[in-house]
Amino acid sequence: MRINADRMHESLRELAQIGATPGGGVTRLALSREDRVARDLLRRWMEAARLRVRIDDFGNMTGRRAGTESGPAVVMASHIDSVRQGGCYDGAYGVLAALEVMRTLNDLGVTTTRPLELVNWTNEEGVRFEPAMLASGGVAGAFTPDYIYDRTDRDGIRFGDALDAIGYRGERSDRPGPIAAYLELHIEQGPVLEDAGHPVGIVEGIVGISWGEVVVEGHADHAGPSPMPLRRDALVAAARLIAGVDEIARTVEGAVGTVGRIAAEPNVINTIPGKVTMSVDFRHADHATLDTLFGSLERLGREVAAASGVTVRTQRFWTSEPTPFAAHVVEMVQAASDELGLSTRRVWSGAGHDAKYMQGVAPSAMIFARSVNGLSHCEQEFSTPEDLEAGANVLLRAALRLAGIEGERTTHKRG
Ligand SMILES: [Zn+2]
């Protein structure tokens, strides 16, 4: 049993025209006019695939295909909102592959035991309304409805008002679920699969993220009359710390560390920098390792302070816990890939996805399709049609394993 790849690619092309940018990408911000047009199209497609469509109080769209049992559903989900000048595959691929799974099951006359649901989550990207994954977080109970409705965009427009304006505020009783198992197919958005030569990744979880701020204080002084041995240059000390973050992450298997933002004061050509404030982003699959990474940075901070005569304050202010997926759902994805003869690799997602919240609600897992050059959140984002097809076939088979097959039309000639 395989999906109809041509039909999926055609739908991807059609959806990508909504909010298309001159550079070949899309700008389809959550609850924008473009999002509404895309939602209307998706709704028509879902209805044409004979799914029963419902909209919940956060605008999440669910299309249900009945099983012989009426209980919890196997959910396949992603999002069709995008970042500004984003690519055509982030999110849209997961939604349209799930739609293609439904269409394929219709073609083949397959009846599943459990119902299947396709979900389009509202505001996954968090570009228009922060934070990201707002609506799946709402369904998981991480945010209250009031919190969600009161988020505002940069023009001061509330989420709740934007939702009403596009006509997509539904009922709380129409939220997705109850969920037996949750699957999210997505492009990788990184270079690991391409580097290792695998079309598909079996995602074991979403890494933990920990953010900190480092403040280095030295002494601002004239760049001319201050001899080198007498200086307390905050930026030179910060440079050692930046290199240290990189080095610390390199010594720990599976860790990444980034200093992405830095401000030097007074930031003037002929003054020795007196103060530097910089950000630190560490990620790893294991919470204890995040503690170790920050511990190493604090130790380095003390060493640099002692050696350079500056003060270093490190403050860790936000942590998103690592989310390991459900082992049996991960194994279903692996079995589905093996059945297709695909070469795969186990990976952890370095980026957040709605599956993070869903894992708290139901056993979940993700499937990654290889990204060319690992590019994402840009117009150059691309995955080959073959890899997209492979990922969608894994989704189809994993969903069937989780939902169970009751029967199919025997008259149909299968390829
Ligand atoms: Zn995405």
Side-chain angles (χ1 to χ4, degrees):
M1 204 183 294
R2 307 223 174 207
I3 57 116
N4 181 334
D6 290 341
R7 183 170 54 191
M8 180 179 73
H9 296 317
E10 184 49 40
S11 293
L12 268 166
R13 268 193 294 277
E14 207 175 325
L15 186 65
Q17 284 165 18
I18 304 171
T21 58
V26 293
T27 299
R28 204 165 47 232
L29 301 187
L31 309 185
S32 63
R33 194 195 69 83
E34 291 77 16
D35 189 19
R36 177 183 62 73
V37 174
R39 283 164 174 266
D40 291 349
L41 175 61
L42 177 63
R43 181 183 210 146
R44 285 198 298 279
W45 278 340
M46 290 204 284
E47 285 166 354
R50 301 195 300 279
L51 304 181
R52 196 160 55 75
V53 179
R54 58 189 206 267
I55 313 292
D56 75 14
D57 49 337
F58 304 131
N60 297 316
M61 302 172 69
T62 300
R64 185 177 175 99
R65 188 176 190 274
T68 53
E69 290 177 4
S70 59
V74 173
V75 171
M76 299 174 283
S78 198
H79 60 94
I80 60 169
D81 70 321
S82 81
V83 298
R84 277 192 178 76
Q85 292 183 303
C88 305
Y89 303 94
D90 180 350
Y93 166 51
V95 170
L96 296 184
L99 176 69
E100 178 51 41
V101 167
M102 302 291 201
R103 289 166 165 173
T104 299
L105 297 179
N106 290 346
D107 289 351
L108 302 179
V110 173
T111 306
T112 55
T113 308
R114 287 182 161 138
L116 292 172
E117 287 188 351
L118 181 171
V119 175
N120 168 37
W121 295 113
T122 301
N123 194 57
E124 191 276 342
E125 295 289 4
V127 171
R128 182 170 178 201
F129 299 100
E130 293 180 11
M133 305 175 290
L134 194 57
S136 58
V139 168
F143 310 121
T144 64
D146 285 346
Y147 175 84
I148 292 173
Y149 295 138
D150 286 342
R151 298 301 89 210
T152 52
D153 67 9
R154 61 166 77 163
D155 299 321
I157 298 171
R158 292 171 65 249
F159 179 100
D161 295 335
L163 189 59
D164 289 332
I166 67 160
Y168 271 87
R169 192 200 287 244
E171 298 296 326
R172 187 190 171 109
S173 56
D174 282 328
R175 291 182 184 179
I179 306 176
Y182 177 91
L183 291 169
E184 188 168 343
L185 170 65
H186 206 280
I187 54 164
E188 183 197 3
Q189 306 181 276
V192 172
L193 294 175
E194 182 176 64
D195 184 61
H198 304 291
V200 167
I202 317 290
V203 189
E204 295 188 302
I206 294 177
V207 299
I209 308 170
S210 206
W211 284 351
E213 184 178 75
V214 180
V215 179
V216 184
E217 281 190 272
H219 185 66
D221 207 343
H222 197 299
S226 309
M228 299 311 286
L230 303 181
R231 293 177 177 216
R232 290 190 288 138
D233 186 324
L235 191 49
V236 171
R240 298 204 169 103
L241 291 168
I242 293 169
V245 166
D246 186 87
E247 221 162 274
I248 288 164
R250 281 174 198 275
T251 55
V252 176
E253 173 78 30
V256 291
T258 307
V259 175
R261 188 176 64 205
I262 177 166
E265 295 172 39
N267 210 23
V268 163
I269 191 167
N270 56 0
T271 301
I272 298 164
K275 183 178 177 184
V276 171
T277 307
M278 60 191 224
S279 63
V280 179
D281 174 319
F282 276 127
R283 302 184 184 215
H284 196 271
D286 177 42
H287 181 99
T289 306
L290 290 174
D291 293 345
T292 307
L293 291 162
F294 265 97
S296 302
L297 177 60
E298 279 162 10
R299 206 163 39 247
L300 179 66
R302 287 193 293 274
E303 286 167 21
V304 168
S308 333
V310 299
T311 61
V312 178
R313 274 179 293 125
T314 304
Q315 198 208 348
R316 187 174 161 185
F317 63 86
W318 179 76
T319 297
S320 167
E321 295 298 330
T323 307
F325 288 139
H328 79 273
V329 184
V330 173
E331 289 311 322
M332 290 289 185
V333 173
Q334 183 72 63
S337 310
D338 293 348
E339 194 176 53
L340 289 158
L342 294 166
S343 91
T344 58
R345 174 181 171 140
R346 299 293 185 107
V347 294
W348 278 70
S349 175
H353 294 284
D354 294 303
K356 178 179 174 62
Y357 284 124
M358 285 303 105
Q359 172 60 34
V361 173
S364 304
M366 289 188 73
I367 307 156
F368 276 172
R370 174 166 53 190
S371 294
V372 172
N373 296 324
L375 293 172
S376 180
H377 280 193
C378 60
E379 294 169 324
Q380 291 75 32
E381 176 183 283
F382 182 69
S383 294
T384 66
E386 295 74 24
D387 289 354
L388 295 173
E389 180 180 352
N393 276 315
V394 173
L395 178 67
L396 167 69
R397 288 176 185 236
L400 286 177
R401 281 171 175 267
L402 290 161
I405 301 180
E406 283 295 311
E408 57 187 296
R409 269 202 311 270
T410 47
T411 49
H412 191 93
K413 194 164 155 281
R414 276 170 292 146

